């Protein structure tokens, strides 16, 4: 959750400057596994959950195991 917390801090700092943060969680286990990390970090930005690795394949994201 350290990277999520970092993104939450970035979003808090810059949201008034018309910057939109959108994160992608690559997790085949779905929102049940992702949401606790977002809650812990206090994330208020949009997070897409890529359960089928579609966005990962298109954009070359690398999943980092936790």
């Amino acid at each position: 959750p350290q990277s999520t917390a970092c993104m939450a801090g970035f979003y808090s700092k810059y949201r008034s400057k018309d910057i939109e943060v959108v994160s992608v969680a690559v997790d085949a286990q779905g929102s049940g596994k992702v949401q606790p990390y977002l809650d812990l970090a206090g994330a208020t930005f949009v997070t897409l959950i890529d359960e089928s690795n579609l966005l990962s394949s298109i954009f070359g994201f690398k999943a980092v195991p936790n």
Side-chain angles (χ1 to χ4, degrees):
Q2 185 177 15
S3 61
T4 305
C6 181
M7 288 175 51
F10 177 86
Y11 182 65
S12 294
K13 184 175 180 179
Y14 291 103
R15 68 178 168 203
S16 64
K17 300 184 186 309
D18 293 329
I19 293 176
E20 190 62 43
V21 173
V22 177
S23 70
V24 177
V26 180
D27 198 316
Q29 298 179 56
S31 63
K33 288 289 184 178
V34 174
Q35 193 62 50
Y37 290 99
L38 298 174
D39 293 342
L40 183 65
T44 57
F45 48 83
V46 174
T47 298
L48 306 172
I49 302 172
D50 185 7
E51 293 182 42
S52 63
N53 292 325
L54 177 63
L55 293 174
S56 302
S57 298
I58 293 171
F59 294 107
F61 296 153
K62 301 291 183 201
V64 178
N66 21 331

Coordinates of all heavy atoms in Angstrom, one line a residue:
P1 N 0.8 -1.2 0.0 CA 0.0 0.0 0.0 C 0.8 1.3 0.0 O 0.3 2.4 -0.1 CB -0.8 -0.1 1.3 CG -0.2 -1.2 2.1 CD 0.6 -2.0 1.2
Q2 N 2.2 1.2 0.1 CA 3.0 2.4 0.1 C 2.8 3.2 -1.2 O 2.7 4.4 -1.1 CB 4.5 2.0 0.3 CG 5.4 3.2 0.5 CD 6.8 2.8 0.7 OE1 7.2 1.6 0.5 NE2 7.6 3.7 1.2
S3 N 2.8 2.6 -2.3 CA 2.6 3.3 -3.6 C 1.2 3.9 -3.6 O 1.1 5.0 -4.2 CB 2.9 2.4 -4.8 OG 1.9 1.4 -4.8
T4 N 0.2 3.3 -3.1 CA -1.1 3.8 -3.1 C -1.2 5.0 -2.2 O -1.8 6.0 -2.5 CB -2.2 2.7 -2.6 OG1 -2.0 1.6 -3.5 CG2 -3.6 3.3 -2.7
A5 N -0.5 5.0 -1.0 CA -0.5 6.1 -0.1 C 0.2 7.3 -0.8 O -0.2 8.4 -0.6 CB 0.2 5.7 1.2
C6 N 1.3 7.0 -1.5 CA 2.0 8.0 -2.2 C 1.1 8.7 -3.3 O 1.1 9.9 -3.4 CB 3.3 7.4 -2.9 SG 4.3 8.6 -3.8
M7 N 0.4 7.9 -4.0 CA -0.5 8.5 -5.0 C -1.6 9.3 -4.3 O -2.1 10.3 -4.9 CB -1.1 7.3 -5.9 CG -0.2 6.7 -6.8 SD -0.8 5.3 -7.7 CE -2.3 5.9 -8.4
A8 N -2.1 8.8 -3.2 CA -3.2 9.5 -2.5 C -2.6 10.9 -2.0 O -3.3 11.9 -2.1 CB -3.6 8.7 -1.2
G9 N -1.4 11.0 -1.6 CA -0.8 12.2 -1.2 C -0.6 13.1 -2.4 O -0.9 14.4 -2.4
F10 N -0.2 12.6 -3.6 CA -0.1 13.4 -4.8 C -1.4 13.9 -5.2 O -1.5 15.1 -5.5 CB 0.5 12.5 -5.9 CG 0.6 13.1 -7.2 CD1 1.7 13.9 -7.6 CD2 -0.4 13.0 -8.2 CE1 1.8 14.5 -8.8 CE2 -0.3 13.7 -9.4 CZ 0.8 14.4 -9.7
Y11 N -2.4 13.1 -5.1 CA -3.8 13.5 -5.5 C -4.3 14.6 -4.6 O -4.8 15.6 -5.1 CB -4.7 12.3 -5.5 CG -6.1 12.7 -5.9 CD1 -6.4 13.1 -7.2 CD2 -7.2 12.5 -5.1 CE1 -7.7 13.4 -7.6 CE2 -8.5 12.8 -5.5 CZ -8.7 13.2 -6.7 OH -10.0 13.6 -7.1
S12 N -4.1 14.5 -3.3 CA -4.5 15.5 -2.4 C -3.9 16.8 -2.7 O -4.5 17.9 -2.6 CB -4.2 15.1 -0.9 OG -5.0 14.0 -0.6
K13 N -2.6 16.8 -3.0 CA -1.8 18.0 -3.2 C -2.2 18.7 -4.5 O -2.3 19.9 -4.6 CB -0.3 17.7 -3.3 CG 0.6 18.9 -3.4 CD 2.0 18.5 -3.3 CE 2.9 19.7 -3.5 NZ 4.4 19.3 -3.4
Y14 N -2.5 18.0 -5.6 CA -2.7 18.5 -6.9 C -4.2 18.5 -7.4 O -4.4 19.1 -8.5 CB -1.8 17.9 -7.9 CG -0.4 18.2 -7.7 CD1 0.5 17.2 -7.1 CD2 0.2 19.4 -8.0 CE1 1.8 17.5 -6.9 CE2 1.5 19.7 -7.8 CZ 2.3 18.7 -7.2 OH 3.6 19.0 -7.0
R15 N -5.1 18.0 -6.7 CA -6.5 17.9 -7.3 C -7.1 19.2 -7.5 O -7.9 19.4 -8.4 CB -7.4 17.0 -6.4 CG -7.7 17.6 -5.0 CD -8.6 16.7 -4.3 NE -8.6 17.2 -2.9 CZ -9.0 16.4 -1.9 NH1 -9.3 15.2 -2.1 NH2 -9.0 16.9 -0.7
S16 N -6.7 20.2 -6.8 CA -7.2 21.6 -7.1 C -6.6 22.2 -8.3 O -7.1 23.3 -8.8 CB -7.0 22.5 -5.9 OG -5.6 22.7 -5.7
K17 N -5.7 21.6 -8.9 CA -5.0 22.1 -10.1 C -5.5 21.4 -11.4 O -4.7 21.3 -12.4 CB -3.5 22.0 -10.0 CG -2.9 22.8 -8.8 CD -1.5 22.7 -8.7 CE -0.9 23.4 -7.5 NZ -1.3 24.7 -7.2
D18 N -6.7 20.8 -11.3 CA -7.2 20.2 -12.5 C -6.4 18.9 -13.0 O -6.3 18.7 -14.2 CB -7.5 21.1 -13.7 CG -8.5 22.1 -13.3 OD1 -9.5 21.8 -12.6 OD2 -8.4 23.3 -13.9
I19 N -5.8 18.2 -12.0 CA -5.1 17.0 -12.4 C -6.0 15.9 -11.9 O -6.4 15.9 -10.7 CB -3.7 17.0 -11.7 CG1 -2.8 18.0 -12.3 CG2 -3.1 15.6 -11.8 CD1 -1.5 18.2 -11.7
E20 N -6.2 14.9 -12.7 CA -7.0 13.7 -12.3 C -6.1 12.5 -12.2 O -5.3 12.2 -13.1 CB -8.1 13.5 -13.4 CG -9.1 12.4 -12.9 CD -9.9 12.8 -11.7 OE1 -10.3 14.0 -11.6 OE2 -10.1 12.0 -10.8
V21 N -6.2 11.8 -11.1 CA -5.4 10.6 -10.9 C -6.3 9.4 -11.1 O -7.4 9.4 -10.5 CB -4.8 10.6 -9.5 CG1 -4.1 9.3 -9.2 CG2 -3.8 11.7 -9.3
V22 N -5.9 8.5 -11.9 CA -6.6 7.3 -12.1 C -5.6 6.1 -12.0 O -4.5 6.1 -12.7 CB -7.2 7.2 -13.6 CG1 -7.9 5.9 -13.8 CG2 -8.2 8.4 -13.8
S23 N -5.8 5.2 -11.1 CA -4.9 4.1 -10.9 C -5.5 2.9 -11.5 O -6.7 2.8 -11.7 CB -4.6 3.9 -9.4 OG -5.7 3.4 -8.7
V24 N -4.7 1.9 -11.8 CA -5.1 0.6 -12.3 C -4.5 -0.5 -11.3 O -3.3 -0.6 -11.1 CB -4.6 0.3 -13.7 CG1 -5.0 -1.1 -14.2 CG2 -5.1 1.4 -14.7
A25 N -5.4 -1.2 -10.7 CA -5.0 -2.3 -9.9 C -5.1 -3.6 -10.7 O -6.2 -4.0 -11.2 CB -6.0 -2.4 -8.7
V26 N -4.0 -4.3 -10.9 CA -4.0 -5.5 -11.7 C -4.1 -6.7 -10.7 O -3.1 -7.0 -10.0 CB -2.7 -5.6 -12.5 CG1 -2.6 -6.9 -13.3 CG2 -2.5 -4.4 -13.4
D27 N -5.3 -7.2 -10.5 CA -5.5 -8.2 -9.5 C -6.7 -9.1 -10.0 O -7.9 -8.7 -10.0 CB -5.9 -7.6 -8.2 CG -5.7 -8.6 -7.1 OD1 -6.2 -9.8 -7.2 OD2 -5.1 -8.2 -6.0
A28 N -6.4 -10.3 -10.3 CA -7.4 -11.3 -10.8 C -8.4 -11.6 -9.7 O -9.5 -12.2 -10.0 CB -6.7 -12.5 -11.3
Q29 N -8.1 -11.3 -8.5 CA -9.0 -11.7 -7.4 C -10.1 -10.6 -7.1 O -11.0 -10.8 -6.3 CB -8.2 -11.9 -6.1 CG -7.2 -13.1 -6.2 CD -6.4 -13.3 -5.0 OE1 -7.0 -13.4 -3.9 NE2 -5.1 -13.2 -5.1
G30 N -10.0 -9.5 -7.9 CA -11.1 -8.5 -7.9 C -11.0 -7.5 -6.7 O -10.1 -7.4 -6.0
S31 N -12.1 -6.8 -6.6 CA -12.2 -5.6 -5.7 C -12.1 -6.0 -4.2 O -11.6 -5.2 -3.4 CB -13.5 -4.8 -6.0 OG -14.6 -5.6 -5.7
G32 N -12.5 -7.2 -3.9 CA -12.4 -7.6 -2.5 C -10.9 -7.6 -2.0 O -10.7 -7.4 -0.8
K33 N -10.0 -7.9 -2.9 CA -8.6 -7.8 -2.5 C -8.0 -6.4 -2.6 O -7.1 -6.1 -1.9 CB -7.7 -8.8 -3.4 CG -8.0 -10.2 -3.1 CD -7.4 -10.6 -1.7 CE -7.5 -12.0 -1.5 NZ -6.9 -12.4 -0.2
V34 N -8.5 -5.6 -3.5 CA -8.0 -4.3 -3.8 C -8.5 -3.3 -2.8 O -7.7 -2.4 -2.3 CB -8.3 -3.8 -5.2 CG1 -7.9 -2.4 -5.5 CG2 -7.7 -4.8 -6.3
Q35 N -9.7 -3.3 -2.5 CA -10.3 -2.3 -1.7 C -9.7 -2.0 -0.3 O -9.5 -0.9 0.1 CB -11.8 -2.5 -1.5 CG -12.6 -1.3 -0.9 CD -12.6 -0.1 -1.8 OE1 -12.8 -0.2 -3.0 NE2 -12.2 1.0 -1.3
P36 N -9.3 -3.1 0.4 CA -8.6 -2.8 1.7 C -7.3 -2.0 1.6 O -7.1 -1.1 2.4 CB -8.2 -4.2 2.2 CG -9.3 -5.1 1.6 CD -9.5 -4.5 0.2
Y37 N -6.6 -2.1 0.5 CA -5.4 -1.3 0.3 C -5.7 0.1 0.0 O -5.1 1.1 0.5 CB -4.5 -1.9 -0.9 CG -3.9 -3.2 -0.6 CD1 -4.4 -4.4 -1.0 CD2 -2.7 -3.2 0.1 CE1 -3.8 -5.6 -0.7 CE2 -2.0 -4.4 0.4 CZ -2.6 -5.6 0.0 OH -2.0 -6.8 0.3
L38 N -6.8 0.3 -0.8 CA -7.3 1.7 -1.1 C -7.8 2.4 0.2 O -7.5 3.5 0.5 CB -8.4 1.7 -2.1 CG -7.9 1.1 -3.5 CD1 -9.2 1.0 -4.4 CD2 -6.9 2.0 -4.1
D39 N -8.5 1.6 1.0 CA -9.0 2.2 2.3 C -7.9 2.5 3.2 O -7.9 3.6 3.8 CB -10.0 1.2 2.9 CG -11.3 0.9 2.2 OD1 -11.6 1.8 1.3 OD2 -11.9 -0.1 2.4
L40 N -6.9 1.6 3.3 CA -5.8 1.9 4.2 C -5.0 3.1 3.8 O -4.5 3.9 4.7 CB -4.9 0.6 4.2 CG -3.7 0.7 5.2 CD1 -4.1 0.7 6.6 CD2 -2.8 -0.5 4.9
A41 N -4.9 3.3 2.5 CA -4.1 4.5 2.0 C -5.0 5.8 2.0 O -4.4 6.8 1.8 CB -3.6 4.2 0.6
G42 N -6.3 5.6 2.2 CA -7.1 6.8 2.2 C -7.3 7.3 0.8 O -7.5 8.5 0.5
A43 N -7.2 6.4 -0.2 CA -7.3 6.8 -1.6 C -8.7 7.3 -1.9 O -9.7 6.7 -1.6 CB -7.0 5.6 -2.5
T44 N -8.8 8.5 -2.6 CA -10.1 9.1 -3.0 C -10.1 9.2 -4.5 O -11.1 9.8 -5.0 CB -10.3 10.4 -2.3 OG1 -9.2 11.3 -2.6 CG2 -10.4 10.3 -0.8
F45 N -9.1 8.8 -5.2 CA -9.1 8.8 -6.7 C -9.7 7.6 -7.3 O -9.9 6.6 -6.6 CB -7.6 9.0 -7.2 CG -6.6 8.1 -6.5 CD1 -6.5 6.8 -7.0 CD2 -5.9 8.5 -5.5 CE1 -5.6 5.9 -6.5 CE2 -5.0 7.6 -4.9 CZ -4.8 6.3 -5.4
V46 N -10.0 7.6 -8.5 CA -10.6 6.5 -9.2 C -9.6 5.4 -9.4 O -8.4 5.6 -9.8 CB -11.1 6.9 -10.6 CG1 -11.6 5.8 -11.5 CG2 -12.2 8.0 -10.5
T47 N -10.0 4.2 -9.1 CA -9.1 3.0 -9.3 C -9.9 2.0 -10.2 O -11.0 1.5 -9.8 CB -8.7 2.3 -8.0 OG1 -8.0 3.3 -7.2 CG2 -7.9 1.1 -8.2
L48 N -9.3 1.6 -11.3 CA -9.9 0.6 -12.2 C -9.3 -0.7 -11.8 O -8.1 -0.8 -11.5 CB -9.5 0.9 -13.6 CG -9.9 2.3 -14.2 CD1 -9.4 2.5 -15.6 CD2 -11.4 2.4 -14.2
I49 N -10.1 -1.8 -11.8 CA -9.5 -3.1 -11.4 C -9.5 -3.9 -12.6 O -10.5 -4.3 -13.2 CB -10.4 -3.7 -10.3 CG1 -10.4 -2.8 -9.1 CG2 -9.9 -5.1 -9.9 CD1 -11.4 -3.2 -8.0
D50 N -8.3 -4.3 -13.0 CA -8.0 -5.1 -14.2 C -7.9 -6.6 -13.9 O -6.8 -7.1 -13.7 CB -6.7 -4.6 -14.9 CG -6.5 -5.2 -16.2 OD1 -7.3 -6.0 -16.7 OD2 -5.4 -4.9 -16.8
E51 N -9.0 -7.2 -13.7 CA -9.1 -8.6 -13.3 C -8.6 -9.5 -14.5 O -8.2 -10.6 -14.2 CB -10.5 -9.0 -12.9 CG -10.9 -8.3 -11.6 CD -12.3 -8.8 -11.2 OE1 -12.6 -10.0 -11.3 OE2 -13.1 -7.9 -10.7
S52 N -8.8 -9.1 -15.7 CA -8.4 -10.0 -16.8 C -7.1 -9.7 -17.5 O -6.8 -10.2 -18.5 CB -9.6 -10.0 -17.9 OG -9.7 -8.6 -18.4
N53 N -6.4 -8.7 -16.9 CA -5.1 -8.3 -17.4 C -5.2 -7.6 -18.8 O -4.2 -7.6 -19.6 CB -4.1 -9.4 -17.5 CG -3.6 -9.8 -16.1 OD1 -3.5 -9.0 -15.2 ND2 -3.4 -11.1 -15.9
L54 N -6.3 -7.1 -19.2 CA -6.5 -6.5 -20.5 C -5.7 -5.2 -20.6 O -4.9 -5.0 -21.5 CB -8.0 -6.1 -20.7 CG -8.3 -5.4 -22.0 CD1 -8.0 -6.3 -23.2 CD2 -9.8 -5.0 -22.0
L55 N -5.8 -4.3 -19.6 CA -5.0 -3.0 -19.6 C -3.6 -3.3 -19.5 O -2.7 -2.7 -20.1 CB -5.5 -2.1 -18.6 CG -6.9 -1.5 -18.8 CD1 -7.3 -0.7 -17.6 CD2 -7.0 -0.7 -20.0
S56 N -3.3 -4.3 -18.7 CA -1.9 -4.7 -18.5 C -1.2 -5.1 -19.9 O -0.1 -4.7 -20.2 CB -1.7 -5.9 -17.6 OG -2.3 -5.6 -16.3
S57 N -2.0 -5.9 -20.7 CA -1.5 -6.3 -22.0 C -1.4 -5.1 -22.9 O -0.4 -5.0 -23.7 CB -2.4 -7.3 -22.6 OG -2.5 -8.5 -21.8
I58 N -2.4 -4.2 -22.9 CA -2.4 -3.1 -23.9 C -1.3 -2.1 -23.6 O -0.5 -1.7 -24.5 CB -3.7 -2.4 -23.8 CG1 -4.8 -3.3 -24.4 CG2 -3.7 -1.1 -24.6 CD1 -6.2 -2.8 -24.2
F59 N -1.1 -1.8 -22.3 CA -0.2 -0.7 -21.9 C 1.2 -1.3 -21.3 O 2.0 -0.5 -21.0 CB -0.8 0.2 -20.9 CG -1.9 1.0 -21.5 CD1 -3.2 0.7 -21.2 CD2 -1.7 2.0 -22.4 CE1 -4.3 1.4 -21.7 CE2 -2.7 2.7 -23.0 CZ -4.0 2.4 -22.6
G60 N 1.3 -2.6 -21.2 CA 2.5 -3.2 -20.7 C 2.8 -3.0 -19.2 O 3.9 -2.9 -18.8
F61 N 1.7 -2.9 -18.5 CA 1.8 -2.8 -17.0 C 2.5 -4.1 -16.5 O 2.2 -5.2 -17.0 CB 0.5 -2.7 -16.3 CG -0.3 -1.4 -16.6 CD1 -1.7 -1.4 -16.5 CD2 0.4 -0.2 -17.0 CE1 -2.4 -0.2 -16.8 CE2 -0.3 0.9 -17.3 CZ -1.7 0.9 -17.2
K62 N 3.2 -3.9 -15.4 CA 3.8 -5.1 -14.7 C 3.1 -5.2 -13.4 O 3.1 -4.3 -12.6 CB 5.3 -4.9 -14.5 CG 6.1 -4.8 -15.8 CD 6.0 -6.0 -16.6 CE 6.9 -5.8 -17.9 NZ 6.5 -6.7 -18.9
A63 N 2.6 -6.4 -13.1 CA 2.0 -6.6 -11.7 C 3.1 -6.9 -10.7 O 4.0 -7.6 -11.0 CB 1.0 -7.8 -11.8
V64 N 3.0 -6.2 -9.6 CA 4.0 -6.4 -8.5 C 3.2 -7.1 -7.4 O 2.3 -6.6 -6.8 CB 4.5 -5.0 -8.0 CG1 5.5 -5.2 -6.9 CG2 5.1 -4.2 -9.1
P65 N 3.7 -8.3 -7.1 CA 3.0 -9.1 -6.0 C 3.2 -8.4 -4.6 O 4.2 -7.7 -4.4 CB 3.7 -10.4 -6.0 CG 4.9 -10.3 -6.9 CD 4.8 -9.0 -7.6
N66 N 2.2 -8.5 -3.8 CA 2.3 -7.9 -2.5 C 2.5 -9.0 -1.5 O 2.5 -10.1 -1.6 CB 1.1 -7.1 -2.1 CG -0.2 -7.3 -2.8 OD1 -0.1 -7.8 -4.0 ND2 -1.3 -7.1 -2.3

